[in-house]
Amino acid sequence: MSTSSFNNPVVKWIDERLPVFTMMQHSAVDYPTPKNLNYWWNFGSLAAFVLVIMLLTGIFLAMSYTPHVDHAFVSVERIMRDVNYGWLLRYLHMNGGSMFFIVVYIHMFRGMYYGSYKAPREILWIVGVFLILAMMATAFMGYVLPWGQMSFWGATVITNLFSAIPLVGQEIVTWLWGGFSVDNPTLNRFFSLHYLLPFVIVGLVVVHVWALHTVKSNNPTGVDIKGPEDTIPFHPYYTIKDFYGIGLFLIFYLAFVFYAPDFFGEPDNYIEANPMVTPAHIVPEWYFLPFYAILRAFTFDVLFIPAKLAGVIAMFASIILLAVLPWLDRSKARSARFRPMYKWFFWIFVLDCLVLGYIGAQAAEEPYVTIGQVATFYYFAHLLIIVPLVSKLENPRPLPESISAAVTKSDSE
Amino acid sequence: MAETATEIQGAPGTGESRRDFLLLTTTAVGAAGAALSLWPFVHSMNPAADVLALSSTEVDISPIEEGQSITVVWRGKPVFVRHRTAAEIETAGTDDAANLPDPQKDGERAEKPEWLVVLGICTHLGCIPLGQKSSEPRGEFGGWFCPCHGSHYDTSGRIRKGPAPRNLEVPPYAFTDDTTIKIG
Ligand code: HEM
Ligand code: FES
């Protein structure tokens, strides 16, 4: 709030030349935060926490990992057996990936429920869409590194998606591989990019938080901050709440790490990659399953677009479409608390995503194919038809005057 | 500097448009140069010379009994070599007239009718189809079956049913003598 109100002479000296302490004071101490945030607002700081764990465990894993087709699998086995605490680093990293997606998916659904993507938070939301895309690319390439059967065949199937691009598809795939199949050049570049992308994610997080601190946090009522009576300083109120959340989260996370470390994994990935044998049932990691289901839903050509290309387009569109959500939803009310119709459609959409996830794990046979097609249709119908239409038809309940008015009222309810 | 210069030459006509022209062409050449300088980075990701060095594989086909298949490796990819039975050749021929998603005659796909040589890579998303061993499923058309997303190939390796768009690819190969083929 003030320039160099620091007493410590060293801090003061530095701050007058490079105002890092002022910046920290602004963004982590004084930052005025709505006083009514609920626990769904913990997941942003949780995501940042998981990112730090991923960076830390990843950098130390990389010290014992060898990105070569002849050594990668063995080097990971060595990490598990011989490297001191290697098993811990690897299980933290493996399960950390899953935790990252759990946390971020909840974070995204939170935004959709409380209308956090709406003006003035569009850019904040769009940076979020870039973040999930970058996370997906990172996780996909990370999964290839241990060079197990699922690593290899997952990489083969997903890189082959690009062959659906008209005219230059095959050239692009060859370029991605650096050869004529997924092989050593592919593993090398995936390692390079898997190391790079998390730092790109860090950069995006900085932009994300910058945008957040410019427009301030949304809150469960969706009503704008009107004055100082609506906010409390971030520290100590939300620092302590975020740490409490991290504590609970660690119990959940470490329960998997120590008691069910392979819960999210595939047994086939403990068999070394064999380019001559495809496993009977290829499944991606669980966090990709809904998108995999959308990809596979297109068993038919759409107009002049061949089925394979249509599936690929739909899969990417299902994520990229989220970026324009602020303009699809025209409702004046942000929070679903005051949106009697949207509230229901929100929960149906959540259910639809879960159904897609279930279908993504099933074999490509009936009745799963049809269910997957219906669920895929509903996914796009929700975003492109239901959300715009509901925002026109629905009459939102009267919004509270202000955050503090709403809080005092709900206390007496 | 630039501002003063513009003010002096600000008179309509000559000075300004010449300046604009210089600015535009310089920017265009600079941008094109910057774009071109990306190419070495992009191209470094394409197959390197040693990867490209077209290795060829020789296969002795004499031990393959009628009805049997073997899988050989060429350029890191599996190649299916199947010694087809008379019945298989016959269906492959009659199916020339069937409704094929990727129409091709069996005669165009096999140098010698008894020997079918195809890349063992599903044209959908690159899995290896089953059907090389007699214990494996061969799909509804007696050729190969890809378990990944359910593509069925016939006895000529043509796609008949499922999401794969094209027939199994026939690699370049030649018979060096009656019992040897050279792939690549
Ligand atoms: C954005 C955060 C990150 C995500 C989502 C992520 C995801 C993953 C995943 C899913 C795996 C496969 C684990 C397995 O099945 O064994 C993996 C492996 C690996 N990652 Fe990461 N990672 C992240 C950050 C990093 C960083 C910063 C490094 C540092 C270089 C790194 C280095 C590695 C290494 C060396 C492996 C192979 C060893 C292993 O399989 O355990 N990762 N990563
Ligand atoms: S890869 Fe063969 S059917 Fe998809």
Side-chain angles (χ1 to χ4, degrees):
Chain A
M1 301 250 121
S2 50
T3 34
S4 285
S5 60
F6 302 101
N7 293 328
N8 183 314
V10 178
V11 170
K12 196 172 155 73
W13 186 90
I14 295 175
D15 202 69
E16 279 163 6
R17 286 154 183 81
L18 183 72
V20 275
F21 296 101
T22 302
M23 198 187 81
M24 278 156 55
Q25 174 85 22
H26 262 282
S27 50
V29 180
D30 300 334
Y31 176 63
T33 318
K35 62 183 181 185
N36 60 335
L37 299 187
N38 59 28
Y39 277 105
W40 299 115
W41 264 261
N42 275 55
F43 287 83
S45 68
L46 278 182
F49 177 71
V50 182
L51 178 59
V52 172
I53 292 192
M54 294 309 281
L55 287 164
L56 207 65
T57 52
I59 287 167
F60 282 86
L61 278 173
M63 295 178 191
S64 307
Y65 170 79
T66 314
H68 187 286
V69 289
D70 294 337
H71 307 289
F73 186 82
V74 184
S75 76
V76 171
E77 284 306 305
R78 190 177 152 269
I79 289 173
M80 295 298 287
R81 289 149 208 268
D82 294 344
V83 175
N84 301 326
Y85 288 111
W87 59 272
L88 181 61
L89 292 174
R90 177 159 187 254
Y91 280 153
L92 283 170
H93 199 76
M94 260 171 78
N95 288 282
S98 282
M99 292 303 132
F100 208 173
F101 280 92
I102 293 177
V103 166
V104 170
Y105 282 152
I106 293 177
H107 188 66
M108 291 168 76
F109 280 123
R110 185 283 316 262
M112 294 174 94
Y113 186 84
Y114 293 108
S116 300
Y117 47 82
K118 291 190 195 182
R121 298 187 181 82
E122 300 94 325
I123 292 187
L124 175 59
W125 173 259
I126 291 170
V127 174
V129 174
F130 282 120
L131 271 166
I132 189 82
L133 287 171
M135 272 175 64
M136 287 176 157
T138 307
F140 163 66
M141 290 193 260
Y143 193 58
V144 177
L145 302 184
W147 209 242
Q149 274 289 67
M150 278 300 167
S151 298
F152 182 89
W153 290 101
T156 298
V157 167
I158 300 298
T159 48
N160 262 308
L161 290 178
F162 292 90
S163 69
I165 298 168
L167 304 176
V168 291
Q170 204 49 55
E171 279 69 25
I172 289 181
V173 174
T174 305
W175 177 73
L176 288 173
W177 287 339
F180 301 101
S181 56
V182 173
D183 208 332
N184 201 46
T186 328
L187 179 60
N188 266 292
R189 63 190 58 187
F190 277 18
F191 181 52
S192 168
L193 294 172
H194 184 73
Y195 210 136
L196 168 70
L197 275 178
F199 295 94
V200 173
I201 293 179
V202 170
L204 284 170
V205 168
V206 170
V207 177
H208 195 67
V209 174
W210 182 12
L212 172 73
H213 285 212
T214 307
V215 296
K216 303 283 181 296
S217 303
N218 186 25
N219 67 86
T221 66
V223 175
D224 285 330
I225 297 173
K226 301 244 163 74
E229 71 283 4
D230 290 342
T231 64
I232 43 177
F234 192 79
H235 180 73
Y237 298 103
Y238 285 110
T239 37
I240 196 70
K241 190 173 176 181
D242 280 345
F243 275 116
Y244 179 61
I246 286 175
L248 290 184
F249 166 76
L250 277 175
I251 294 174
F252 180 74
Y253 171 30
L254 296 181
F256 285 106
V257 170
F258 291 120
Y259 298 105
D262 287 308
F263 177 82
F264 295 106
E266 279 293 322
D268 270 6
N269 225 28
Y270 285 101
I271 304 170
E272 189 168 2
N274 180 353
M276 294 298 132
V277 180
T278 310
H281 188 45
I282 299 183
V283 275
E285 290 279 88
W286 70 265
Y287 36 80
F288 292 133
L289 289 174
F291 307 101
Y292 195 53
I294 291 175
L295 169 77
R296 295 194 304 176
F298 289 82
T299 51
F300 48 86
D301 298 354
V302 182
L303 306 173
F304 54 90
I305 307 172
K308 182 169 145 184
L309 181 59
V312 174
I313 293 174
M315 185 181 73
F316 284 108
S318 66
I319 303 169
I320 293 167
L321 204 56
L322 293 176
V324 295
L325 192 57
W327 294 275
L328 293 169
D329 182 353
R330 316 294 308 184
S331 176
K332 291 267 181 298
R334 288 201 188 94
S335 170
R337 278 201 186 164
F338 303 101
R339 302 188 57 191
M341 276 169 83
Y342 174 76
K343 186 188 239 166
W344 288 105
F345 285 112
F346 168 83
W347 286 113
I348 299 173
F349 181 68
V350 174
L351 191 71
D352 188 59
C353 292
L354 295 175
V355 170
L356 281 170
Y358 171 77
I359 294 299
Q362 306 306 314
E365 48 193 49
E366 290 301 341
Y368 306 119
V369 176
T370 310
I371 299 174
Q373 287 169 340
V374 173
T376 299
F377 176 81
Y378 188 84
Y379 184 96
F380 288 100
H382 175 87
L383 293 175
L384 293 172
I385 304 170
I386 296 174
V387 164
L389 216 59
V390 165
S391 64
K392 281 223 153 70
L393 298 179
E394 164 191 72
N395 245 332
R397 286 174 38 214
L399 298 176
E401 213 116 282
S402 68
I403 293 172
S404 55
V407 174
T408 17
K409 203 166 133 240
S410 73
D411 277 350
S412 56
E413 261 174 11
Chain B
M1 262 308 278
E3 275 168 39
T4 11
T6 322
E7 267 168 63
I8 294 165
Q9 307 206 336
T14 54
E16 284 231 330
S17 63
R18 215 167 79 206
R19 224 163 250 271
D20 289 349
F21 174 77
L22 285 174
L23 183 66
L24 267 167
T25 42
T26 314
T27 315
V29 171
L36 283 178
S37 70
L38 284 181
W39 178 243
F41 294 93
V42 173
H43 197 44
S44 77
M45 288 174 68
N46 268 321
D50 60 333
V51 179
L52 274 180
L54 225 180
S55 60
S56 52
T57 304
E58 296 228 333
V59 189
D60 177 12
I61 55 174
S62 54
I64 312 172
E65 304 272 332
E66 202 178 292
Q68 275 191 340
S69 312
I70 61 159
T71 307
V72 294
V73 184
W74 171 67
R75 277 182 162 189
K77 301 181 190 198
V79 176
F80 293 164
V81 181
R82 186 175 281 188
H83 191 173
R84 297 194 291 187
T85 63
E88 284 172 339
I89 297 167
E90 158 114 54
T91 24
T94 48
D95 281 0
D96 282 353
N99 181 16
L100 300 170
D102 180 11
Q104 224 180 3
K105 300 251 179 293
D106 186 51
E108 300 164 26
R109 295 178 53 78
E111 296 254 311
K112 296 184 182 179
E114 309 87 74
W115 296 98
L116 182 70
V117 182
V118 289
L119 279 191
I121 294 180
C122 182
T123 59
H124 182 225
L125 296 174
C127 290
I128 300 179
L130 299 174
Q132 283 297 85
K133 295 190 195 108
S134 52
S135 58
E136 291 173 353
R138 290 188 166 177
E140 289 173 26
F141 299 88
W144 288 271
F145 171 69
C146 182
C148 288
H149 315 94
S151 288
H152 299 253
Y153 296 92
D154 68 12
T155 54
S156 186
R158 290 173 298 206
I159 180 67
R160 301 299 294 274
K161 189 180 166 190
R166 282 172 295 110
N167 302 335
L168 292 180
E169 195 185 321
V170 179
Y173 70 91
F175 282 86
T176 48
D177 58 53
D178 277 350
T179 58
T180 316
I181 53 173
K182 187 169 158 227
I183 305 171

